[in-house]
Amino acid sequence: MRRSTFRQLQIFEAIARHMSFTRAAEELFLTQPTVSMQMKKLTDHIGTPQFERIGSQLYLTDAGKELLHTCTEIFSELDRYEMMVADLQGLKKGKLRITIVTTAKYFVPSLLGTFCKRFPGVEASLNVTNREQALIRLEENLDDLYVLGQPPEDLHVESQPFLDNPLVALAPVDHPLADEKNITLERFSEEPFLVREAGSGTRKVVKRLFDEHGLELNVRMELGSNEAIKQAVIGGLGVSILSRHALHHEPRATKICILDVQGFPILRQWYVVYPVGRQLTIIARTFLEFLHQSEH
Ligand code: PGA
């Protein structure tokens, strides 16, 4: 293994990330024969293959999965080192990888934009996915920071609240309940309900609320995003519950109204989360501070 070169590990990591020799070659500006030859050398040094091909599909072998894990650690250590050197030189320079749940996409990108303007040396990547997928990435320790609507109960994490996240009950503006005051949850629960997909954090909160009140959700349809839910509400398919952040426009202008249901808005917060023991990079720490400052 010690005869393998750093370049070979980079090539391996790019193939494993894309699950394609061709795309790895493109990313690294190499020819495909070069990539294949370097992988052959790496396999010879290790003594066991990292990939197997079944039909046209490429898979990582168990040894390949272990090597990918090792490479991820080596590369993030090197990133950290590079940033440390940049910091010593008085520059905030380097990578920042953030994963956010879909509902946070309404405000994190603009915060990140401001941050990147302030620190032009930051190379940021933002992965937007639902809660379940975000937690898988968190468990695999793939990113620097995560923005979630609720810290995970079963993972060992540091979590810091940084912004309010009220959840509101929605209906189309011409809905019979639109002008009613103090609507009971029982009455609201009779309306056809538009629910987010399994794995969504919003869905989890809604389910818990109805369970706590011993009520059944009258599910009309399951939709895979906040945007799809908003369009379906406008289209008159039902009512729903979403984060106030998902209504970034003035609600009346989007033909959606917020219903006055008892117990609403549900008061939640946005949390920035990272695994306990993860050595945060200087940039990740700077971004954390920035998030807290942007509260005010
Ligand atoms: P979601 O998460 O986008 O997966 O619904 C939102 C949340 O956890 O509050």
Side-chain angles (χ1 to χ4, degrees):
M1 183 76 219
R2 290 192 185 274
R3 281 162 49 224
S4 317
T5 64
F6 187 69
R7 189 62 170 156
Q8 285 163 356
L9 294 181
Q10 271 182 321
I11 295 173
F12 163 78
E13 192 272 339
I15 301 170
R17 196 159 20 85
H18 293 294
M19 273 302 162
S20 157
F21 278 59
T22 315
R23 291 191 57 188
E26 278 166 16
E27 178 182 301
L28 298 169
F29 301 103
L30 296 172
T31 63
Q32 193 160 349
T34 307
V35 166
S36 301
M37 190 185 62
Q38 291 301 333
M39 273 311 92
K40 187 172 174 318
K41 283 190 184 159
L42 184 67
T43 304
D44 290 347
H45 293 153
I46 297 175
T48 175
Q50 278 63 59
F51 296 102
E52 60 191 352
R53 207 175 267 287
I54 301 176
S56 61
Q57 182 66 43
L58 198 61
Y59 294 92
L60 278 171
T61 59
D62 285 345
K65 285 182 196 152
E66 282 303 322
L67 184 59
L68 180 58
H69 182 69
T70 307
C71 284
T72 309
E73 286 191 354
I74 294 173
F75 294 143
S76 57
E77 275 305 315
L78 283 173
D79 283 348
R80 231 184 329 268
Y81 175 73
E82 252 176 29
M83 277 189 226
M84 202 261 291
V85 172
D87 199 57
L88 287 176
Q89 295 167 337
L91 306 164
K92 289 270 185 292
K93 227 170 142 210
K95 294 199 179 79
L96 175 64
R97 291 186 200 84
I98 305 177
T99 281
I100 64 173
V101 287
T102 51
T103 310
K105 75 172 182 192
Y106 300 102
F107 62 96
V108 175
S110 67
L111 286 175
L112 192 58
T114 312
F115 181 75
C116 290
K117 257 189 224 143
R118 195 174 299 173
F119 302 108
V122 173
E123 216 183 290
S125 74
L126 188 63
N127 183 48
V128 183
T129 183
N130 74 15
R131 177 176 172 86
E132 190 172 84
Q133 296 303 315
L135 292 185
I136 293 173
R137 292 185 70 88
L138 174 64
E139 203 165 5
E140 290 176 1
N141 196 12
L142 295 182
D143 306 288
D144 295 306
L145 298 170
Y146 301 79
V147 174
L148 304 173
Q150 170 91 47
E153 290 106 31
D154 46 356
L155 297 176
H156 209 32
V157 294
E158 293 285 348
S159 66
Q160 303 172 5
F162 69 96
L163 189 69
D164 287 342
N165 176 23
L167 259 61
V168 290
L170 307 175
V173 269
D174 54 359
H175 193 276
L177 293 179
D179 295 318
E180 289 212 12
K181 295 269 162 282
N182 222 6
I183 305 161
T184 62
L185 194 61
E186 284 83 347
R187 173 66 192 87
F188 180 68
S189 71
E190 289 164 14
E191 295 298 314
F193 195 89
L194 305 169
V195 70
R196 281 277 309 272
E197 79 287 359
S200 144
T202 310
R203 174 180 169 130
K204 213 172 153 209
V205 177
V206 171
K207 176 95 180 47
R208 194 183 311 133
L209 174 76
F210 277 69
D211 285 352
E212 276 167 11
H213 288 79
L215 294 168
E216 283 282 320
L217 263 181
N218 175 14
V219 176
R220 167 82 183 267
M221 200 184 280
E222 187 175 298
L223 295 114
S225 73
N226 295 327
E227 292 309 308
I229 295 219
K230 283 183 335 191
Q231 292 309 318
V233 168
I234 292 170
L237 286 174
V239 298
S240 192
I241 296 173
L242 291 181
S243 165
R244 182 72 180 74
H245 288 281
L247 308 173
H248 46 129
H249 300 300
E250 177 46 36
R252 293 255 159 210
T254 62
K255 304 191 193 102
I256 291 180
C257 69
I258 296 177
L259 296 180
D260 181 15
V261 179
Q262 287 173 7
F264 278 77
I266 302 172
L267 296 178
R268 300 178 78 215
Q269 284 190 302
W270 287 112
Y271 293 84
V272 59
V273 174
Y274 55 93
V276 165
R278 181 173 175 106
Q279 274 251 308
L280 287 188
T281 63
I282 288 151
I283 299 216
R285 272 190 271 128
T286 312
F287 187 65
L288 259 185
E289 280 163 30
F290 172 83
L291 279 184
H292 288 298
Q293 285 156 11
S294 60
E295 277 175 75
H296 311 296

